[in-house]
Amino acid sequence: MRDQARVVIIGGGIAGCSALYHLTQEGWADVMLIERDELTSGTTWHSAAQVTNFGMTQTMIGLKSHSIKLYKELRDDPDYPVGYNHGDGGIRLANTPEQMDGYRHFASVAAGMGVDFEVIDAEECARRHPLISTDNLLGGLWDPSDGHIDPAQLCQALARRARLAGAEVNRHTPVTGLTQHADHTWTVHTEKGDVKAEIVVNAGGYRCNEIGAMMGVQHPVASMEHQYFLTEDIPAIAEAGHRIPLLRCPISDYYSRQEKGGLLLGFYEQDCRTWGMDGIDPKFTNDLCPDDLDRVTDVLEGAFARMPVLMETGIRSIVNGPITYTIDGAPLVGPIPGKRNAFCIIGLRAGLGEGGGHGWLLAQQIVHGEAEYDTWVIDPRRFTGHASVELTALKAIEDYQNEFRFHFPHEHRPAGRPMKTTPLTPVLAAEGAHFGTVNGWERLDYIAPTPDFTETLGFRFNEVHALTAAEVAHVSTGVGMTEVSGFNRFELTGRDVHSFLDRMTCGRIPTKEGRVGLAYLLNHHGGLKGEATLANLPASDRGPARVWYGSAAASEYHDMDWLTQHVLPDEDVQIRSLTNTHTILVLAGPKSRDVLQAAARGDWSRAAFPWLSVRECHIGIAPATVLGVSFSGELAYEIHVPNQSLYAAYLAMRKAGEAHGLTLFGARAVDSMRMEKGFLHWKADILTEFTPFETGLDRFVKMDKGDFIGKAALQAQHATGLRRKLVCLRIDTTDAPAQGGASVRNRDAIVGTVTSGDWGHRTGLNLAYAFVTPEIAETGSRLTVDILGQQIAAQVIDPSPFDPDHSRMRS
């Protein structure tokens, strides 16, 4: 074993082998994999190993497409062919119209990535899968690329290719510790000696938190016992004359695929069980949990009803082994929060099917600093301080119980709630608030009219549409208030704060005391890394002169890592998080200044406190910091209050608002209004894949300023031209909004992808933002958007169809 390597990967399952191979494909040969036992001796060896192209985002579809392409190449390698049944086809069943709508949407998402899914009816499902009944069935989604692969052969093939490219694989080498040095390099301690490494990758599977503990971190990964069994031969399979397609059934919570002359049948029972919560036996390797078929009796009954042939079929063998889950079911692939030169590729619930793509995207991040797709959907930093293993276990159980039931728009499932609250959460609940969640925070979504009000979840406009319209109308004609919990807020101090921020952002930053500005941070490829509101606070009894940096609630760890990693050794810059100590009350509408004037001493006139101002004050008796900014397009104020004073501020605002008809509004209303203003959402419309020029943020870029991160890449883009352009679309339907990922077409050709969509209640327009090819980005271009299987007419319109000169929020 070498005593040094540029990258050391810990773990020899599909995650580690894929990462190792793809690092060599990116040109890094000085890489090493260390495995405590044999390769594939963890979850990988007993995986059912299905390989589908299905995904609910374009990133997930893209990494699965990469996996399939790679696996076909490995299958056809004459020197070391891998057993891969590709193209058996697969069906995801549905028995509700809402599920069928979802499949139509996901087919549109896939089409934008060059993947063809087909939505089929119940009779066609039965024609393609002769073992199933059509009782209680509406139809399904057909994936022609579905199949399965041999897990051990796949990992050995990847390791073999990595070795041929110069990588080293060390088996039977337990890692005993990790030490990080002042220069951010690592020493990996093993039973066979130490290895010096520039970068360490945790690919530890269900032992990932044992490795995490060596780094001083805990990952939101928990394991679930998962059972499947192999049947005896079934004559109907031989009689079919073709391989039986894979089946995934959200109706009865099971899946099946052909295994030789029988079936492999797997279960997602409601009486499920976590595994390894109190530690894992060091000897648990190439091992299984005890069989427990009693637990899956209810699921098995559903499988019998769907596939009656099972009632006449015997069981040949049973497998019960651990599989890993995260809080939202998606893996953790990327930088480990709070650490330098540390990455992970863990929580791979569907590791064999997706693992080729996960290793590919991780290798790009390690080598180039960014992947070719925006990887936020799998970024480890999307969860913050609330992400304990205990919470993860609750969400893992919930995900397991709903394995094949996708999330609907605006669906916030109940497990692990409430996790993060403010003093106003019960107060707002008493007012009728319905809450969603953002990074674990309970956030006001809308005000329900009655205690028994329920929302019909789906992809079409529903009962909340009218409630949102009423909230928007009240804000636009009077005044409304909402709470924005979990908003990311950093306080920056030090003599070099402004020069540091100038280097980190692509535009002019506010330097005058009492002023606020919007800034964009780029990566070194010119892609949009972050969006931040910067507010210059003068010295006061609350602290020295400082800058408040505000960004999206989910960006807390992401932005902190990006900022701290770019502070130079000789710069005087300190960064302190106030994210969990303060909450925002937003006051919006033409009467909002009147309410603020009644609640706080001082002159709040337009002359004394114009748009883009910041001031410290008291709201009643509560200390507060007020920013004159708006995400709604109305005259509005962000009132930042320490959590211990939040209730006092709320009471003062409600009292001051009585004379002006103050009411509450929620996030649904905010999203409608921001769409009409052309205001973008981070990680919906603002993505690392695109530059500010492509995103329509040219006005925030100042190429004539000094050097800043991403400037050279933007200069290069001037020569090569734009690849895509973000446009605003007016869509000609009142039935449903466009959902993120939906395909945009120019005649029959796919020319773009929707990033977000909603109804604009002030304009009466169904609006969407979409990245499209530059040649059809001009205002007036007529296109279509694939909404739930229908090609709906759409037209490119000018951004900010409501109050385009911003006169209302400047008033």
Side-chain angles (χ1 to χ4, degrees):
M1 186 171 70
R2 300 200 303 262
D3 62 3
Q4 62 182 21
R6 190 170 191 179
V7 181
V8 169
I9 299 167
I10 305 170
I14 179 58
C17 292
S18 178
L20 186 77
Y21 165 74
H22 284 97
L23 281 169
T24 64
Q25 292 297 293
E26 296 295 331
W28 284 20
D30 184 14
V31 292
M32 178 188 296
L33 185 149
I34 299 177
E35 162 57 41
R36 70 192 300 273
D37 297 298
E38 277 289 351
L39 297 185
T40 75
S41 59
T43 294
T44 301
W45 81 272
H46 62 73
S47 170
Q50 280 125 199
V51 184
T52 176
N53 221 354
F54 176 79
M56 290 178 284
T57 66
Q58 288 195 326
T59 296
M60 295 304 293
I61 291 170
L63 66 85
K64 292 182 181 188
S65 294
H66 176 85
S67 297
I68 290 170
K69 180 182 177 182
L70 171 63
Y71 297 171
K72 289 169 68 177
E73 179 186 330
L74 294 173
R75 177 199 62 188
D76 298 335
D77 186 338
D79 296 324
Y80 194 92
V82 171
Y84 178 29
N85 286 293
H86 170 261
D88 290 349
I91 308 173
R92 293 174 185 269
L93 301 180
N95 68 338
T96 70
E98 291 79 13
Q99 288 173 316
M100 292 296 288
D101 276 348
Y103 290 158
R104 294 182 185 101
H105 170 63
F106 298 135
S108 177
V109 174
M113 298 298 288
V115 173
D116 292 325
F117 290 156
E118 187 180 355
V119 180
I120 57 179
D121 62 20
E123 288 69 29
E124 184 63 16
C125 289
R127 190 188 72 77
R128 299 186 188 190
H129 196 304
L131 304 184
I132 68 171
S133 162
T134 59
D135 291 346
N136 188 31
L137 185 65
L138 282 182
L141 182 71
W142 172 260
D143 172 7
S145 296
D146 222 334
H148 70 279
I149 197 165
D150 184 292
Q153 290 181 7
L154 170 61
C155 292
Q156 294 289 353
L158 292 170
R160 172 182 173 273
R161 287 192 169 195
R163 286 191 190 98
L164 292 174
E168 180 175 312
V169 176
N170 294 287
R171 300 170 299 127
H172 303 290
T173 308
V175 172
T176 57
L178 293 166
T179 301
Q180 190 164 29
H181 306 289
D183 63 354
H184 309 299
T185 62
W186 295 85
T187 296
V188 182
H189 308 283
T190 81
E191 290 186 356
K192 296 181 179 179
D194 292 348
V195 181
K196 291 282 292 181
E198 179 184 334
I199 294 167
V200 169
V201 176
N202 182 349
Y206 54 67
R207 295 188 184 275
C208 65
N209 270 316
E210 295 178 7
I211 299 167
M214 298 177 193
M215 294 185 179
V217 299
Q218 184 183 65
H219 298 290
V221 175
S223 296
M224 300 292 298
E225 290 188 17
H226 177 59
Q227 294 186 94
Y228 65 80
F229 62 62
L230 303 174
T231 74
E232 294 176 348
D233 288 354
I234 299 174
I237 291 178
E239 295 165 4
H242 60 83
R243 287 189 60 83
I244 300 297
L246 286 83
L247 196 71
R248 295 171 181 85
C249 182
I251 308 165
S252 302
D253 300 304
Y254 80 98
Y255 62 90
S256 71
R257 67 166 172 82
Q258 185 172 336
E259 179 70 16
K260 298 182 179 177
L263 291 175
L264 182 152
L265 210 68
F267 307 98
Y268 290 97
E269 69 280 6
Q270 298 303 294
D271 183 23
C272 53
R273 182 176 298 169
T274 59
W275 179 86
M277 290 289 290
D278 297 318
I280 302 170
D281 187 335
K283 297 179 182 178
F284 191 91
T285 180
N286 277 107
D287 210 344
L288 294 171
C289 310
D291 302 342
D292 189 2
L293 283 187
D294 289 343
R295 234 173 46 224
V296 303
T297 300
D298 57 336
V299 182
L300 192 56
E301 289 176 355
F304 286 163
R306 182 63 58 203
M307 301 171 69
V309 70
L310 293 174
M311 291 185 281
E312 305 168 1
T313 304
I315 298 174
R316 193 169 75 242
S317 61
I318 301 169
V319 172
N320 184 18
I323 55 176
T324 56
Y325 280 75
T326 66
I327 288 176
D328 62 1
L332 306 177
V333 180
I336 295 174
K339 292 290 179 182
R340 305 255 190 120
N341 294 354
F343 294 80
C344 61
I345 177 169
I346 55 178
L348 275 60
R349 176 182 66 183
L352 269 295
E354 304 171 352
H358 291 145
W360 172 57
L361 294 180
L362 179 67
Q364 290 181 31
Q365 292 179 71
I366 292 173
V367 174
H368 307 293
E370 210 75 68
E372 62 184 79
Y373 301 145
D374 188 295
T375 57
W376 183 245
V377 68
I378 56 175
D379 195 308
R381 297 163 299 188
R382 68 187 187 274
F383 306 120
T384 56
H386 67 293
S388 64
V389 173
E390 287 74 14
L391 174 63
T392 308
L394 291 176
K395 298 303 289 185
I397 291 169
E398 184 179 63
D399 272 353
Y400 188 94
Q401 293 170 334
N402 292 277
E403 177 69 27
F404 299 129
R405 286 183 281 275
F406 52 79
H407 278 76
F408 288 105
H410 305 298
E411 181 181 7
H412 301 277
R413 291 176 178 169
R417 296 179 61 190
M419 184 66 220
K420 292 196 280 191
T421 62
T422 76
L424 292 187
T425 305
V427 178
L428 295 172
E431 297 262 16
H434 176 90
F435 295 95
T437 59
V438 180
N439 190 29
W441 288 94
E442 297 291 320
R443 182 174 289 182
L444 171 58
D445 209 19
Y446 59 87
I447 300 296
T450 61
D452 60 350
F453 177 85
T454 57
E455 177 180 6
T456 303
L457 293 173
F459 288 81
R460 302 173 191 268
F461 293 123
N462 60 18
E463 306 90 342
V464 178
H465 189 66
L467 303 181
T468 303
E471 291 181 8
V472 170
H474 199 91
V475 169
S476 64
T477 59
V479 59
M481 183 169 66
T482 192
E483 179 193 52
V484 181
S485 56
F487 183 78
N488 187 47
R489 183 186 300 95
F490 299 150
E491 183 177 88
L492 282 72
T493 55
R495 68 173 182 273
D496 298 319
V497 163
H498 288 102
S499 59
F500 167 71
L501 289 172
D502 189 58
R503 190 178 78 251
M504 296 296 295
T505 60
C506 60
R508 307 273 186 232
I509 63 167
T511 56
K512 185 179 178 181
E513 286 186 350
R515 298 301 292 165
V516 178
L518 188 62
Y520 289 90
L521 296 82
L522 312 182
N523 60 31
H524 294 86
H525 306 283
L528 283 160
K529 193 73 173 177
E531 176 189 61
T533 300
L534 304 178
N536 282 310
L537 289 167
S540 70
D541 58 354
R542 301 183 193 176
R546 58 210 182 277
V547 174
W548 271 17
Y549 172 111
S551 57
S555 69
E556 180 184 357
Y557 281 6
H558 173 279
D559 285 12
M560 181 62 82
D561 277 357
W562 186 251
L563 293 174
T564 56
Q565 289 173 11
H566 286 89
V567 176
L568 301 176
D570 59 348
E571 280 186 310
D572 179 22
V573 176
Q574 295 80 44
I575 306 173
R576 182 169 70 106
S577 177
L578 304 177
T579 301
N580 300 296
T581 62
H582 290 63
T583 297
I584 300 174
L585 295 176
V586 170
L587 196 63
K591 297 180 182 179
S592 58
R593 178 179 286 114
D594 298 328
V595 177
L596 182 58
Q597 185 67 69
R601 290 186 296 113
D603 182 358
W604 295 95
S605 66
R606 178 180 180 181
F609 193 76
W611 182 56
L612 297 181
S613 294
V614 60
R615 179 191 296 177
E616 292 177 334
C617 68
H618 282 78
I619 301 296
I621 60 173
T625 302
V626 179
L627 278 65
V629 296
S630 175
F631 200 49
S632 63
E634 303 289 347
L635 176 66
Y637 304 96
E638 284 185 0
I639 303 167
H640 298 243
V641 186
N643 284 337
Q644 67 267 23
S645 303
L646 186 62
Y647 184 48
Y650 175 80
L651 291 177
M653 295 298 297
R654 292 307 298 262
K655 181 67 175 177
E658 287 177 358
H660 305 284
L662 175 69
T663 60
L664 298 175
F665 66 98
R668 300 277 187 100
V670 174
D671 203 51
S672 168
M673 292 186 284
R674 72 94 186 170
M675 290 289 299
E676 295 174 305
K677 286 299 300 171
F679 296 155
L680 309 181
H681 258 316
W682 186 71
K683 293 309 178 187
D685 316 300
I686 298 172
L687 304 168
T688 56
E689 294 178 40
F690 302 105
T691 69
F693 298 140
E694 293 168 323
T695 313
L697 298 170
D698 310 49
R699 64 193 183 279
F700 294 100
V701 181
K702 305 301 178 186
M703 296 298 289
D704 58 348
K705 64 179 274 188
D707 196 24
F708 58 86
I709 294 174
K711 184 175 182 178
L714 294 187
Q715 290 171 331
Q717 189 172 74
H718 276 298
T720 59
L722 306 183
R723 301 160 298 168
R724 287 287 190 270
K725 187 72 175 175
L726 188 71
V727 297
C728 182
L729 298 173
R730 183 190 68 208
I731 301 174
D732 294 340
T733 181
T734 59
D735 182 51
Q739 300 290 341
S743 291
V744 181
R745 295 177 183 265
N746 183 16
R747 298 182 177 88
D748 293 330
I750 294 177
V751 294
T753 299
V754 169
T755 56
S756 60
D758 206 345
W759 186 270
H761 289 282
R762 294 173 298 192
T763 58
L765 299 177
N766 193 349
L767 299 169
Y769 293 108
F771 279 103
V772 300
T773 52
E775 62 271 14
I776 49 88
E778 295 299 319
T779 297
S781 294
R782 294 188 178 275
L783 308 165
T784 61
V785 178
D786 185 346
I787 299 181
L788 307 183
Q790 300 295 314
Q791 295 302 318
I792 305 297
Q795 186 174 17
V796 177
I797 63 174
D798 291 334
S800 193
F802 178 78
D803 189 32
D805 62 358
H806 309 311
S807 60
R808 293 174 70 93
M809 62 188 191
R810 297 173 186 264
S811 62

